[in-house]
Each structure stands twice: as C-alpha cells, then as structure tokens.
Amino acid sequence: MFKLRCEKGYEPVYMTQHSAGADLKATEAMTIPPGAVAAVPTGVFISGVEWDKVPAGLIPELQIRARSGLAFKKRIMLANGVGTIDADYPEEIKVLLINMGDQPFEISAGDRIAQLVPALVARLELAAAQTEKQRTGGFGSTGVEAASKARI
C-alpha cells in the first residue's frame, strides 16, 4: 500500500523468505558516542499511499523496529522505542538510535540499522473534534503545545 522512493543501493530488503521486517541501511558513516542519540539517514522516503488498498477506517503507518542483534551485542536501541512514520511524512526516514553501551558505536554506509514494518492502525473515536490539518514538516513538526495545555 506504500509507495517508497529510495536512493540507489539503499532499498529496504527482506533478509529471508519469512522476514516480517525489511532491513533499513544507513546512508552515511557516523559514530554514536555512549549515551548519545543520532538520527541516522536511510535514503528511504514515502512517495505515496495507494489509498484504494487501505481498508476503510484504518490508517497505514510504517513502523521502525530495532534489530535484536544490535541491541543484544552492541546495546544499540531505538531512542523512541518503536518509531511511527505517518503516511503523510514528507521527509527522509531517519532512525533514532541510542547507544546504551560504554563504547562508541561505529556505523558505516550500508550497515543494516533497523527494520521497517508496514501496519494498519485503527484510530480512536474521540469526543474532541478531529483535525483536518495537513502535515507541514518532519521530526517534531506537529509540536507538543496541545498536549502540554491539556495537563492539569
């Protein structure tokens, strides 16, 4: 249902016949110091959604999930648990990695850093009016103002 645009050589790839997640690769080399978070570019963009293939009442998303080997062997995890890439996200998909280890973590261009999983999500029926607002940016573009005003 998602149409992706990918830099050549950085297409997500399923590593086995029954893999649920397609591996994402880093497009550039970088070092993540212990305790630091990095936004690692993948060369993958959402170019569109085939809305006629999406069941009524559901919204498609792309989930970013950690690679278990990186977590177990190197203590590299997703900084945000599981990443949600909304269907209208216009920018390059980046993976937020955190180094929980005690050594710098070296990434080379082409290293597999996370997994991409498409999903369908039901939306809550909320009493408050729903917005028809269109997305205008990337990371953090929807802000936190409404959530902070709702606190008591």
Side-chain angles (χ1 to χ4, degrees):
M1 80 194 89
F2 278 99
K3 293 187 261 181
L4 300 178
R5 178 173 56 85
C6 307
E7 291 180 19
K8 185 171 175 50
Y10 293 97
E11 299 83 0
V13 62
Y14 290 102
M15 296 306 293
T16 71
Q17 180 181 2
H18 298 289
S19 294
D23 285 353
L24 291 170
K25 301 174 202 167
T27 60
E28 60 186 59
M30 64 176 58
T31 300
I32 306 174
V37 174
V40 183
T42 65
V44 178
F45 302 78
I46 296 173
S47 64
V49 175
E50 297 171 301
W51 287 103
D52 58 323
K53 295 183 179 179
V54 177
L58 299 177
I59 297 289
E61 71 162 333
L62 291 173
Q63 295 179 0
I64 306 295
R65 298 186 184 174
R67 294 195 65 230
S68 57
L70 287 179
F72 183 69
K73 296 175 184 175
K74 301 290 185 177
R75 299 189 66 203
I76 301 299
M77 298 179 234
L78 294 182
N80 55 339
V82 173
T84 292
I85 309 297
D86 294 314
D88 60 351
Y89 185 73
E91 297 181 11
E92 178 179 16
I93 294 172
K94 294 183 179 179
V95 176
L96 297 177
L97 293 180
I98 185 168
N99 182 352
M100 301 300 290
D102 57 5
Q103 300 294 316
F105 179 67
E106 302 290 335
I107 298 173
S108 297
D111 283 356
R112 295 177 294 131
I113 55 165
Q115 296 181 61
L116 185 66
V117 177
L120 292 170
V121 178
R123 295 184 76 183
L124 299 170
E125 291 185 31
L126 303 174
Q130 297 296 313
T131 183
E132 296 298 321
K133 182 178 173 182
Q134 297 294 311
R135 180 179 298 278
T136 58
F139 274 109
S141 63
T142 58
V144 294
E145 295 81 22
S148 64
K149 290 178 185 174
R151 292 187 191 140
I152 296 177

